[in-house]
Amino acid sequence: MEALFNSFAYFVPVGKVEKEIISTLFTEKQFKKGEPFLQEGKICRHVGFIIKGLMRYYLTQDGEEKTFYFARENEFVSNYESFVPQIPSLKSIEALEDTTAYVITYDNLNLLYSTMANGERMGRLILEQVFVQALQNLNSFYVDTPEQRYEKLLQAHPDLQQRIPQYYIASCVGVKPQSLSRIRKRLSLH
């Protein structure tokens, strides 16, 4: 659980008491490759912290899956727009690899916020970070070319190209796989 403690310690001090609270409220869960963390239409009831593995966020539109984000080791995974108000999700999240995560339920997260010193502050800071990241991703679709989005994805996650099928990367960048091949070819010539 040390990686989870360190993640929280980035936002607020985490001492022995806080570690005990965190250890009590989070449980370890395994997700097999292809297993859903969350299915569209279901209420997101957990936040996870990935210890090992990789997950993909996607929407289904006209029968086509559109990937828009990946979560990997030492990152939180959840659909906050479903989790926070406890309403059905418009998105799905699935494991792209066998994944181990520490998960916490909605009720236990609220308990964590109220019992842990600086718990409410930590929750606010984490959600602010999620909000800023979501806005940056949205802005990127309006101002960046697909090539720029691809370069940003590789800069932020250099290992993803070896771990994720190219059609998921193409979907995340907002192009067809053939277009991604052309982008990759152009970039390799530079």
Side-chain angles (χ1 to χ4, degrees):
M1 282 205 139
E2 209 55 43
L4 181 59
F5 299 150
N6 291 339
S7 180
F8 285 156
Y10 177 81
F11 297 101
V12 296
V14 175
K16 185 179 177 191
V17 171
E18 289 81 14
K19 287 181 180 181
E20 286 177 22
I21 293 168
I22 293 166
S23 298
T24 304
L25 298 176
F26 276 85
T27 56
E28 186 175 307
K29 186 166 169 66
Q30 309 289 325
F31 297 88
K32 292 282 181 211
K33 180 179 179 177
E35 184 179 341
F37 178 87
L38 172 65
Q39 291 177 306
E40 177 185 343
K42 304 274 188 191
I43 295 172
C44 186
R45 303 207 182 271
H46 296 90
V47 171
F49 181 80
I50 300 174
I51 301 303
K52 177 185 167 294
L54 181 66
M55 293 201 175
R56 166 178 84 108
Y57 290 67
Y58 66 96
L59 296 161
T60 304
Q61 187 178 42
D62 299 326
E64 184 182 344
E65 292 179 359
K66 301 199 183 236
T67 300
F68 63 91
Y69 193 72
F70 303 101
R72 60 191 187 137
E73 291 86 3
N74 300 315
E75 292 182 354
F76 287 96
V77 59
S78 189
N79 179 0
Y80 296 99
E81 62 193 278
S82 168
F83 181 80
V84 173
Q86 289 290 281
I87 60 172
S89 176
L90 301 174
K91 302 168 182 160
S92 297
I93 304 171
E94 74 170 350
L96 286 181
E97 301 172 348
D98 288 348
T99 300
T100 303
Y102 290 117
V103 297
I104 189 167
T105 65
Y106 178 84
D107 290 338
N108 280 348
L109 186 60
N110 283 312
L111 190 58
L112 178 90
Y113 290 158
S114 65
T115 58
M116 191 173 127
N118 298 307
E120 293 280 348
R121 181 171 188 269
M122 179 191 65
R124 178 181 56 80
L125 293 172
I126 290 171
L127 281 177
E128 284 176 1
Q129 188 178 53
V130 168
F131 181 68
V132 168
Q133 181 64 52
L135 287 177
Q136 289 172 342
N137 292 345
L138 180 64
N139 292 342
S140 179
F141 259 89
Y142 287 105
V143 298
D144 294 336
T145 65
E147 193 167 307
Q148 290 169 322
R149 288 193 299 271
Y150 177 67
E151 288 179 305
K152 284 180 178 181
L153 180 68
L154 293 185
Q155 287 169 358
H157 308 287
D159 65 321
L160 285 187
Q161 199 155 320
Q162 285 72 45
R163 296 173 71 181
I164 297 175
Q166 292 302 301
Y167 56 89
Y168 287 153
I169 292 175
S171 179
C172 189
V173 171
V175 298
K176 297 287 182 203
Q178 303 83 344
S179 298
L180 181 63
S181 292
R182 288 191 290 276
I183 289 170
R184 292 177 68 203
K185 187 174 182 179
R186 276 196 307 271
L187 291 175
S188 71
L189 297 175
H190 287 89

